[in-house]
Amino acid sequence: MPLESRLPSSASRLLRLSLCLIGAVLALAADRAGTTPALVERHLEAMGTLLGLSVAGPDRAAALESSEKAVREIARVETLITTWRPGGPLDRVNTAPPGGAVLLDAEVSELLNTVFGWSERTEGAFDPTVLPLVRAWDLRGQGCVPDVATLSRALAATGRDRFALDAATGRTRRLSSDAGIDEGAWGKGYALDRAVSELKRCGVREALLDLGGQVSAIGPARVAIADPRERRRTAVFLDILDSSVSTSGNSERGIVVAGRRIGHLLDPRTGRPAPDFGSATVVAPSGVTADILSTAFFVLGPEKGLDLSERLRRQGFPNEALFLVASDGGWKTIASPGLRSRLECPGLQAREQSPLVIPSPSLPFCHPERSEGSAPVALSRFVRSGQAPQRICPGHDLSNRPEQILRRFAPQNDKKGSAAPLRLSKR
Ligand code: AMP
Ligand code: MG
């Protein structure tokens, strides 16, 4: 006999009501499952390198939509500034007859103005007009060692004064037939800034973007800085908040010509590859600033780079610098003051030491994947919903610049990570 028919009618009504209520609660729970806070992770190709995004949202659809906007924004920026394909605004400037004006739209014109401004601020160590030298050393091809005449011609065509920019009207002229703008040292940083703006416009409060090794974070992140000679290994962990981290250094693969390794970071003042000491990392609120300064600090070297980093801070350009300098078969870690308490050298208890120079002997280096288990992931409360890799735009080959930084989210309740992540105040 069914249970209901054995019960008095009032109890039966109560049972039916209870069953209805349980059903409603279950349905509501199922419905709500569709709107559970979600973390979308995507890996694709952009700007000739790999783009990894982790975007948190109130639900999977929202996180996906935000991530898609960020990806599209990066693709838009690539089209806007690439000099690897013909027809874009910068390519038109680079191929215009000397003295002939090219009219740039407000975004590109302002961007160029900003980027050119850094040439003077870094005393020429960063120079966006380095393309003649990039060509002389064939850095976009197989590489070559230029003869003296070629090098001096390229050097003569390099420099801020080889271009006339009118930021008010966007009229831009190159003044010599060999002059050219190269976006390699700043383009990815700008693309990250634009993508971060898009994500913020969508209301995203936690995200991490990794574009070819440069990382930008909304919210906290723990970033692993690679061993300059063996990039799959981590030399240092850095805790950041709402910042971008860029590292410049020569890849272990690099370009080799007749047995000689050619660095892709050129000193525009000599026209030659800058001496290779290890790597320069910059943390800054803006991606384009971090990108530019890591290139400049590598060219300047640790001593002058650290000096400039401090001068720029005093002038109101927030930045922190970290140099990994080859020393006795290991790495010396030299950091600007604001970074010293934010560093962790695997196996070295750097937090307890917090000195300016942390000796990093050839380690017990810690592999990020293996250390993952010991650090709770801040966003693990979100459902992981991976996207199949997509190919958004082919881009150019940057095989001389493999992934430099491996990243993880900041540990949430990690005892070692009790210090707040580094937040640089914005201008
Ligand atoms: P990054 O890896 O961001 O330091 O940028 C390196 C790329 O920027 C190189 O592959 C060149 O295309 C370009 N480049 C090299 N040296 C310089 C320099 N001193 N200033 C500006 N761009 C440079
Ligand atoms: Mg750079």
Side-chain angles (χ1 to χ4, degrees):
M1 190 195 282
L3 174 65
E4 261 187 272
S5 50
R6 277 186 276 138
L7 294 169
S9 65
S10 60
S12 164
R13 262 203 315 276
L14 199 62
L15 178 67
R16 267 205 304 270
L17 190 65
S18 311
L19 286 173
C20 279
L21 267 176
I22 291 168
V25 167
L26 285 177
L28 198 66
D31 185 44
R32 287 189 69 100
T35 59
T36 309
L39 176 72
V40 166
E41 291 200 19
R42 302 177 64 179
H43 299 275
L44 24 85
E45 256 181 52
M47 300 186 90
T49 189
L50 297 177
L51 167 65
L53 297 102
S54 308
V55 177
D59 57 42
R60 184 170 186 273
L64 260 179
E65 197 181 319
S66 309
S67 79
E68 187 57 26
K69 286 196 174 141
V71 167
R72 285 186 194 284
E73 183 63 359
I74 289 172
R76 185 189 71 81
V77 170
E78 179 180 15
T79 306
L80 200 66
I81 61 173
T82 185
T83 60
W84 287 72
R85 293 194 298 264
L90 294 192
D91 182 65
R92 279 191 284 122
V93 173
N94 285 352
T95 51
V102 173
L103 201 59
L104 298 176
D105 72 18
E107 181 180 1
V108 182
S109 169
E110 273 168 35
L111 175 61
L112 271 195
N113 212 42
T114 303
V115 166
F116 272 54
W118 280 104
S119 179
E120 200 174 324
R121 243 173 257 135
T122 60
E123 293 145 15
F126 164 82
D127 191 334
T129 72
V130 80
L131 188 60
L133 290 169
V134 168
R135 287 190 183 127
W137 291 89
D138 191 24
L139 294 181
R140 293 188 175 192
Q142 300 302 304
C144 74
V145 179
D147 58 41
V148 176
T150 307
L151 191 59
S152 61
R153 233 187 3 260
L155 206 46
T158 300
R160 167 74 186 82
D161 57 356
R162 293 287 163 265
F163 289 84
L165 265 61
D166 183 345
T169 62
R171 280 166 64 87
T172 304
R173 289 175 294 135
R174 65 173 189 152
L175 305 174
S176 124
S177 58
D178 288 336
I181 296 165
D182 184 291
E183 76 281 26
W186 51 271
K188 283 197 284 299
Y190 178 67
L192 282 169
D193 285 343
R194 296 297 321 142
V196 163
S197 295
E198 274 301 298
L199 290 171
K200 285 184 175 165
R201 240 164 35 88
C202 297
V204 170
R205 286 190 305 212
E206 275 184 287
L208 194 65
L209 293 89
D210 178 346
L211 183 55
Q214 180 165 349
V215 172
S216 285
I218 303 177
R222 168 161 281 204
V223 178
I225 309 297
D227 178 322
R229 297 283 173 270
E230 216 176 314
R231 291 186 189 273
R232 275 161 306 160
R233 288 183 163 185
T234 297
V236 177
F237 288 114
L238 259 179
D239 290 334
I240 60 160
L241 184 70
D242 296 326
S243 310
S244 190
V245 183
S246 169
T247 296
S248 289
N250 288 308
S251 114
E252 68 263 68
R253 283 187 280 158
I255 298 180
V256 179
V257 179
R260 178 177 158 189
R261 190 173 293 278
I262 300 175
H264 71 295
L265 292 148
L266 301 169
D267 186 337
R269 300 160 304 180
T270 63
R272 297 174 183 281
D276 187 359
F277 58 84
S279 70
T281 295
V282 172
V283 187
S286 125
V288 73
T289 307
D291 200 358
I292 287 171
L293 287 182
S294 70
T295 306
F297 292 169
F298 184 93
V299 170
L300 289 170
E303 208 174 304
K304 290 189 176 149
L306 213 57
D307 282 354
L308 179 60
S309 165
E310 170 160 17
R311 266 203 316 282
L312 288 171
R313 270 195 305 283
R314 273 194 265 116
Q315 290 166 17
F317 298 100
N319 79 92
E320 296 292 341
L322 166 71
F323 295 88
L324 294 182
V325 183
S327 161
D328 296 332
W331 299 103
K332 233 173 30 180
T333 310
I334 303 173
S336 60
L339 276 193
R340 287 175 211 162
S341 62
R342 315 292 162 189
L343 294 177
E344 188 184 319
C345 297
L348 278 173
Q349 303 303 312
R351 266 179 208 289
E352 277 75 48
Q353 296 179 10
S354 290
L356 173 62
V357 177
I358 303 162
S360 316
S362 37
L363 262 180
F365 273 114
C366 155
H367 194 277
E369 258 123 58
R370 267 192 284 131
S371 60
E372 191 90 351
S374 62
V377 175
L379 296 179
S380 60
R381 63 183 181 275
F382 296 109
V383 175
R384 290 190 169 255
S385 43
Q387 266 286 99
Q390 292 179 17
R391 212 183 166 85
I392 293 291
C393 45
H396 50 262
D397 175 33
L398 281 178
S399 50
N400 66 341
R401 195 183 156 163
E403 196 170 80
Q404 291 169 8
I405 304 173
L406 303 156
R407 55 57 178 160
R408 296 185 307 160
F409 285 107
Q412 203 169 31
N413 301 309
D414 184 7
K415 288 191 191 71
K416 283 184 294 173
S418 52
L422 176 69
R423 184 199 285 276
L424 297 149
S425 59
K426 294 179 189 156
R427 277 161 44 81

